[in-house]
Amino acid sequence: MSITFNFEDSEFKFTDLNKVSSWINSAIKKENCFTGNINYIFCSDSYLLDMNKKFLNHDYLTDVITFDYVKDKNISGDIFISIDRTKENAEIFNVSHETELLRVMIHGVLHLIGYDDHTDEDEAQIHSKEDFYLNLYN
């Protein structure tokens, strides 16, 4: 299957898409799942805010929205990421933009795999998984 990268109203570009794809595939395999069709869509705050309002009835900015098309252990979905949010969050958390962007990218995949962040315990677990996979990227 495939991982694709799309850019909507954003000038952002990756430098090494092959490394990112391999990393995502590796994370999915480590979670005992299979890569289906994963589409990353990188966009602006306003684009993602419109998506948030239209599809989720949420009127606030967010860094990522994940649409789940998973069947069994075949991980598929659309992951929309605001480049504006990841840049701002990188400054807030004092990390590089690349690190924050990779964190949000794997966060979306972890949601597709079945991890949630609705409770404090769930949030701690998903953040631990993000850290684990970020360390594998580097």
Side-chain angles (χ1 to χ4, degrees), residues 1-3 28 33-39 66-79 108-109 111-113:
M1 296 310 215
S2 68
I3 297 172
I28 291 169
C33 294
F34 306 96
T35 302
N37 292 310
I38 300 173
N39 301 302
T66 304
F67 294 95
D68 183 337
Y69 312 128
V70 173
K71 291 191 179 177
D72 300 318
K73 291 205 168 252
N74 291 307
I75 305 305
S76 295
D78 293 330
I79 302 172
V109 169
H111 275 305
L112 294 175
I113 290 169

Side-chain angles (χ1 to χ4, degrees), residues 84-98:
D84 298 326
R85 270 316 83 219
T86 57
K87 284 181 179 177
E88 186 171 309
N89 288 343
E91 289 180 24
I92 291 168
F93 299 124
N94 198 29
V95 297
S96 72
H97 181 237
E98 179 184 43

Side-chain angles (χ1 to χ4, degrees), residues 10-138:
S10 175
E11 299 297 319
F12 175 79
K13 298 290 184 228
F14 267 106
T15 55
D16 194 347
L17 291 175
N18 289 331
K19 181 177 179 182
V20 173
S21 292
S22 294
W23 172 65
I24 294 164
N25 278 314
S26 174
I28 291 169
K29 285 179 189 171
K30 285 190 180 305
E31 295 292 326
N32 298 310
C33 294
F34 306 96
T35 302
N37 292 310
I38 300 173
N39 301 302
Y40 283 98
I41 301 93
F42 300 97
C43 57
S44 67
D45 270 349
S46 61
Y47 187 97
L48 199 54
L49 179 59
D50 287 342
M51 298 283 298
N52 212 8
K53 288 177 183 176
K54 183 177 180 179
F55 294 103
L56 302 175
N57 294 319
H58 297 157
D59 189 8
Y60 54 82
L61 295 173
T62 187
D63 51 3
V64 61
I65 296 175
T66 304
F67 294 95
D68 183 337
Y69 312 128
V70 173
K71 291 191 179 177
D72 300 318
K73 291 205 168 252
N74 291 307
I75 305 305
S76 295
D78 293 330
I79 302 172
F80 289 81
I81 296 175
S82 168
I83 295 302
D84 298 326
R85 270 316 83 219
T86 57
K87 284 181 179 177
E88 186 171 309
N89 288 343
E91 289 180 24
I92 291 168
F93 299 124
N94 198 29
V95 297
S96 72
H97 181 237
E98 179 184 43
T99 297
E100 183 61 18
L101 184 59
L102 291 170
R103 178 178 299 282
V104 172
M105 290 177 72
I106 202 65
H107 184 90
V109 169
L110 291 168
H111 275 305
L112 294 175
I113 290 169
Y115 293 95
D116 282 319
D117 53 9
H118 300 300
T119 68
D120 290 344
E121 186 178 314
D122 290 344
E123 193 171 326
Q125 182 183 33
I126 203 167
H127 286 312
S128 176
K129 287 284 186 178
E130 291 168 7
D131 290 341
F132 174 78
Y133 289 115
L134 279 171
N135 285 332
L136 291 182
Y137 185 84
N138 297 319

